[in-house]
Amino acid sequence: MKRFGWLLITALVLASGVKAQKIKYKDLYPLLDSRQYELAIPLLKKFLSEDKTSAHPNANFQLAMYFEKMTLDQDVLKGADAMALYSDSAVAAYQKTLTVLTEKEVTKKNPEYYGAYQRRDVRTGKVGIKLSDILYDIEKRVNALTSRKVSVNNINVSLANAYSAYNISQRIYAELRQSYPDTRRLYLQTDNVVIQKLDTMAAQLELAVVNAGKMKTELGKIEKAKYDPKIEINPIKKYEEDGLDTTNFFSDEILFWEYGDWAEEVKKTVDTKVKPMLAELIKYDAELVKLKEITLKDSISMVSEVKDQSSLKQQLTIFDPNPLPLKIFDVKISELKYLAKLVEHHDYYDSADLVYVTTILNEKVSALQEYDSLLNVLSDYPYQEEAINYYGYIVKSFGDVPSFEAYIQESKAFADAQYDKKSAELTLMLERSNWLISENDSIPLFKTNEEIDTSGYYPVTIDSTYTAGLFFKSENSTKGYFSLVNKERTLETKVVFTLDPKGFSSDGISEVESLITTDEFGQVYHILFYVPLPEQETYAAELCKIYTADGLAWEKSLVLDTKPASMEVNTSGNVEISYDLENYSGDKSLEAGIILDKKGVIQEN
């Protein structure tokens, strides 16, 4: 303890910069031998900086061993630069030692400095130190240091290459994620530029994995490297979530994302599915355009030639649940349907059949409503943004995005103009269809809201083939009328009969009801008008028999005990009027109804 205390005091004094006293190596050696390098190395460097002592053999040897120790202490990955400097310094010190170390130095002059090399000579049996052993050890150390430096350099070159390559690969993936946030946009927008990026990304990943493997192999060659990483490659399962976690090249596991397989899968999907599908879009659109051209040129409906798009739709919705092209196809097919209505019934307005004309106009207006509705859906759709997903299709089918936008606006203007025109025609035709017209008379075919129309007619029953009601020609005249309704809405058959104004007056028209029967040929009609009498259970009624060819056969005024429920004509021609006994509230016992023979005579029950 006294000796080491003295050594410490000596070191402090020497380190204090007192120039009057020179450093003696015999005083410095114990610090070196005990590996007290923090104290010893500054003194050793000062000792060797002197010209007279710069070639001291053991001093150079000790400095070399210190540099070798520092070399081995460095982290082979994080301290490569420092390790290279220490290694070079150690080799330089060892090489200088080789030039100054002599037999005399190790055997006679300072053998105590080389005690670690003492060994028994197997030939003579004597214990001693041989210069050759020291020189051989130094050469081994130099070779080991040189080899270690080369290995560490190779390791760090491989590390740098792996790091750089993987960063490039991951950066490309991040750029793709930023430009194409989901697989829908990635697959639909992939072009040659994207393909090149995918190829580069895959190649860089392969380079990163190869260099990481080289680094691992070289690490295995170095004693006490402290690193033996396991290289793992994780598959990209979810494009929107995976692939951006960073990799720690200094950890026990180096985790790479499998950009290569993913890139190949994207390219394969684009080549085998997306490109053929996009080409099919262009082809399908061209076919619709051709069908429209034929429709307009040859005035032939081509709706039946529209191909089923379910297969194409199924392919599209795999990549895009709400694809723009399908909305465009819906619009074009709807337009074809409307144009088909135009060419199929181009002469409809010349027809005297108002039912036919009204039906055709209804169909056209309905087709236009569907067309306009689909155009509105397309107009409200963010097509400016979505067009980039189908840019090739848009360019091929419309020219460019502004032209596509113009197509939507022009189609909307056409649909709106056609709708206004056909709706106006339909309104006029419906108005015309609401009347049976002759030169001097017009019978309404619509209810008049409990008021007598200016024409004097009040319809009670309106059917597709006939109508019947009341006609008030003057204040004291109440008539009943019956008329067949034809498709031309012209008044051809009209039968008028007299009604009792006491029962059938203009004041009670809202309570008048009717029952009408016809034979299977539509040639014989029986008409029963009935209305409740004021403050009574009974009903005033008028029964008529009418031949469509000959007009009124007979009419019969009746007073019914209660409201009728039904009227039938049996095979004998008798008219059976059944009472609504279920809802009868009077106290009088009633028969089931009344029967009139085919001439209108009431029969006894």
Side-chain angles (χ1 to χ4, degrees):
M1 289 294 293
K2 289 182 179 180
R3 185 170 183 269
F4 279 103
W6 166 246
L7 290 174
L8 180 60
I9 292 171
T10 302
L12 292 173
V13 170
L14 292 173
S16 66
V18 179
K19 297 182 179 179
Q21 185 175 351
K22 292 185 178 180
I23 301 171
K24 295 181 179 180
Y25 189 73
K26 67 177 181 177
D27 297 329
L28 176 59
Y29 178 75
L31 289 174
L32 295 169
D33 189 41
S34 61
R35 301 291 190 267
Q36 298 184 61
Y37 289 127
E38 289 185 5
L39 296 173
I41 295 305
L43 298 173
L44 179 62
K45 289 181 178 179
K46 181 175 178 61
F47 178 78
L48 289 171
S49 67
E50 300 290 337
D51 291 337
K52 293 181 178 182
T53 56
S54 61
H56 191 285
N58 193 256
N60 282 284
F61 186 45
Q62 293 293 335
L63 183 62
M65 287 193 293
Y66 165 72
F67 284 138
E68 180 181 9
K69 175 186 178 301
M70 293 303 295
T71 299
L72 299 177
D73 286 346
Q74 300 308 306
D75 189 296
V76 295
L77 297 182
K78 299 177 182 178
D81 291 340
M83 189 227 67
L85 291 173
Y86 281 122
S87 179
D88 290 343
S89 298
V91 169
Y94 275 132
Q95 288 174 340
K96 186 171 184 178
T97 301
L98 289 174
T99 63
V100 297
L101 192 62
T102 63
E103 183 76 30
K104 182 180 179 180
E105 166 71 16
V106 299
T107 59
K108 296 179 179 180
K109 189 175 181 180
N110 294 306
E112 70 274 14
Y113 295 157
Y114 307 96
Y117 291 96
Q118 278 190 343
R119 67 180 181 87
R120 187 180 298 276
D121 190 321
V122 295
R123 186 166 55 85
T124 64
K126 293 182 179 182
V127 176
I129 300 171
K130 291 185 176 181
L131 176 62
S132 60
D133 290 343
I134 301 174
L135 296 178
Y136 177 69
D137 183 55
I138 291 175
E139 289 175 356
K140 282 175 57 180
R141 289 172 181 267
V142 169
N143 290 336
L145 285 167
T146 302
S147 177
R148 187 182 184 89
K149 180 183 176 182
V150 171
S151 292
V152 171
N153 181 68
N154 290 339
I155 288 169
N156 283 275
V157 169
S158 296
L159 172 62
N161 290 339
Y163 182 82
S164 174
Y166 188 70
N167 274 357
I168 293 172
S169 188
Q170 191 167 59
R171 186 182 70 248
I172 293 173
Y173 184 82
E175 290 172 355
L176 291 174
R177 279 273 297 272
Q178 184 175 10
S179 300
Y180 315 101
D182 50 53
T183 54
R184 177 176 69 96
R185 280 176 272 198
L186 174 66
Y187 283 125
L188 294 175
Q189 295 181 35
T190 289
D191 53 15
N192 290 335
V193 173
V194 175
I195 294 297
Q196 289 176 358
K197 288 185 177 181
L198 292 173
D199 288 339
T200 301
M201 182 173 63
Q204 289 297 315
L205 175 69
E206 183 178 356
L207 186 62
V209 173
V210 168
N211 277 276
K214 289 181 179 178
M215 179 183 73
K216 178 177 173 64
T217 300
E218 290 294 328
L219 284 169
K221 297 178 181 179
I222 296 181
E223 185 179 357
K224 297 180 182 179
K226 299 180 182 179
Y227 290 98
D228 184 21
K230 181 180 180 182
I231 301 173
E232 294 284 346
I233 301 180
N234 294 332
I236 296 176
K237 297 179 180 179
K238 293 184 178 180
Y239 169 67
E240 293 83 355
E241 298 177 9
D242 296 340
L244 294 182
D245 297 337
T246 56
T247 294
N248 184 359
F249 285 86
F250 305 107
S251 65
D252 293 335
E253 280 189 325
I254 299 177
L255 302 177
F256 292 123
W257 286 105
E258 183 48 281
Y259 299 125
D261 287 353
W262 177 81
E264 288 303 314
E265 182 61 29
V266 171
K267 289 165 57 180
K268 179 181 177 182
T269 301
V270 169
D271 284 339
T272 61
K273 296 180 179 180
V274 177
K275 286 184 177 179
M277 177 188 69
L278 295 177
E280 187 64 26
L281 289 178
I282 296 171
K283 179 180 177 182
Y284 190 88
D285 189 276
E287 290 173 352
L288 293 179
V289 172
K290 186 65 176 179
L291 293 178
K292 178 181 176 181
E293 291 174 352
I294 295 173
T295 300
L296 295 176
K297 180 181 177 181
D298 301 333
S299 296
I300 301 174
S301 172
M302 301 301 291
V303 173
S304 61
E305 300 300 316
V306 175
K307 292 182 179 179
D308 180 63
Q309 56 176 303
S310 56
S311 175
L312 183 57
K313 179 178 181 180
Q314 186 177 14
Q315 295 176 55
L316 264 173
T317 51
I318 292 174
F319 301 98
D320 187 354
N322 192 22
L324 172 63
L326 292 187
K327 299 186 184 303
I328 298 173
F329 295 161
D330 287 344
V331 167
K332 292 194 171 186
I333 292 172
S334 181
E335 182 188 25
L336 274 176
K337 290 178 180 179
Y338 174 65
L339 294 177
K341 295 293 181 185
L342 291 182
V343 300
E344 286 172 350
H345 307 285
H346 63 281
D347 58 349
Y348 72 98
Y349 222 77
D350 296 330
S351 174
D353 187 342
L354 299 188
V355 174
Y356 164 74
V357 174
T358 303
T359 300
I360 296 305
L361 282 171
N362 260 316
E363 291 178 358
K364 290 182 178 180
V365 169
S366 295
L368 281 167
Q369 287 174 329
E370 177 187 334
Y371 182 37
D372 186 66
S373 176
L374 292 171
L375 277 168
N376 286 334
V377 170
L378 184 58
S379 297
D380 294 338
Y381 189 77
Y383 57 84
Q384 293 93 341
E385 301 171 14
E386 291 298 321
I388 192 172
N389 289 329
Y390 303 94
Y391 188 74
Y393 160 67
I394 294 296
V395 169
K396 192 70 176 179
S397 299
F398 299 96
D400 53 26
V401 175
S403 298
F404 170 57
E405 188 168 5
Y407 160 79
I408 296 175
Q409 295 171 350
E410 291 167 4
S411 298
K412 191 74 172 65
F414 171 74
D416 289 343
Q418 287 290 301
Y419 180 78
D420 291 343
K421 179 181 178 181
K422 299 306 176 185
S423 295
E425 290 180 11
L426 179 59
T427 299
L428 290 174
M429 196 53 59
L430 287 173
E431 178 64 24
R432 172 63 185 83
S433 299
N434 280 334
W435 296 87
L436 285 175
I437 298 176
S438 68
E439 292 184 1
N440 302 315
D441 208 356
S442 297
I443 298 177
L445 296 177
F446 57 90
K447 293 291 185 178
T448 55
N449 298 323
E450 300 183 2
E451 295 182 1
I452 301 171
D453 188 81
T454 53
S455 64
Y457 289 97
Y458 179 80
V460 176
T461 297
I462 301 173
D463 186 77
S464 60
T465 57
Y466 62 84
T467 182
L470 309 183
F471 177 57
F472 299 92
K473 192 171 184 179
S474 64
E475 293 183 2
N476 298 321
S477 174
T478 302
K479 301 288 185 180
Y481 70 88
F482 170 84
S483 179
L484 293 176
V485 176
N486 58 23
K487 294 182 178 180
E488 293 77 15
R489 295 299 191 263
T490 56
L491 188 56
E492 294 180 348
T493 302
K494 176 184 176 184
V495 177
V496 178
F497 45 90
T498 303
L499 298 174
D500 185 355
K502 293 180 180 180
F504 298 92
S505 66
S506 60
D507 295 334
I509 56 173
S510 63
E511 296 184 278
V512 176
E513 296 182 70
S514 65
L515 292 172
I516 300 177
T517 67
T518 183
D519 66 340
E520 60 180 325
F521 303 107
Q523 296 178 352
V524 182
Y525 286 83
H526 287 81
I527 303 171
L528 177 69
F529 286 142
Y530 57 93
V531 63
L533 292 171
E535 300 179 3
Q536 297 181 46
E537 291 287 342
T538 57
Y539 278 70
E542 191 74 25
L543 177 63
C544 300
K545 181 178 181 180
I546 297 173
Y547 292 101
T548 56
D550 301 325
L552 182 64
W554 52 260
E555 62 177 306
K556 183 75 174 182
S557 296
L558 303 170
V559 175
L560 305 177
D561 291 329
T562 189
K563 184 177 182 179
S566 63
M567 180 175 67
E568 295 181 1
V569 178
N570 62 28
T571 56
S572 301
N574 294 336
V575 181
E576 299 176 358
I577 301 174
S578 300
Y579 289 147
D580 183 10
L581 298 178
E582 186 177 343
N583 295 311
Y584 175 65
S585 59
D587 54 4
K588 180 181 177 181
S589 178
L590 301 180
E591 299 291 339
I594 64 172
I595 300 175
L596 293 83
D597 65 15
K598 59 184 179 181
K599 294 184 178 181
V601 178
I602 298 175
Q603 303 295 298
E604 295 293 335
N605 291 336

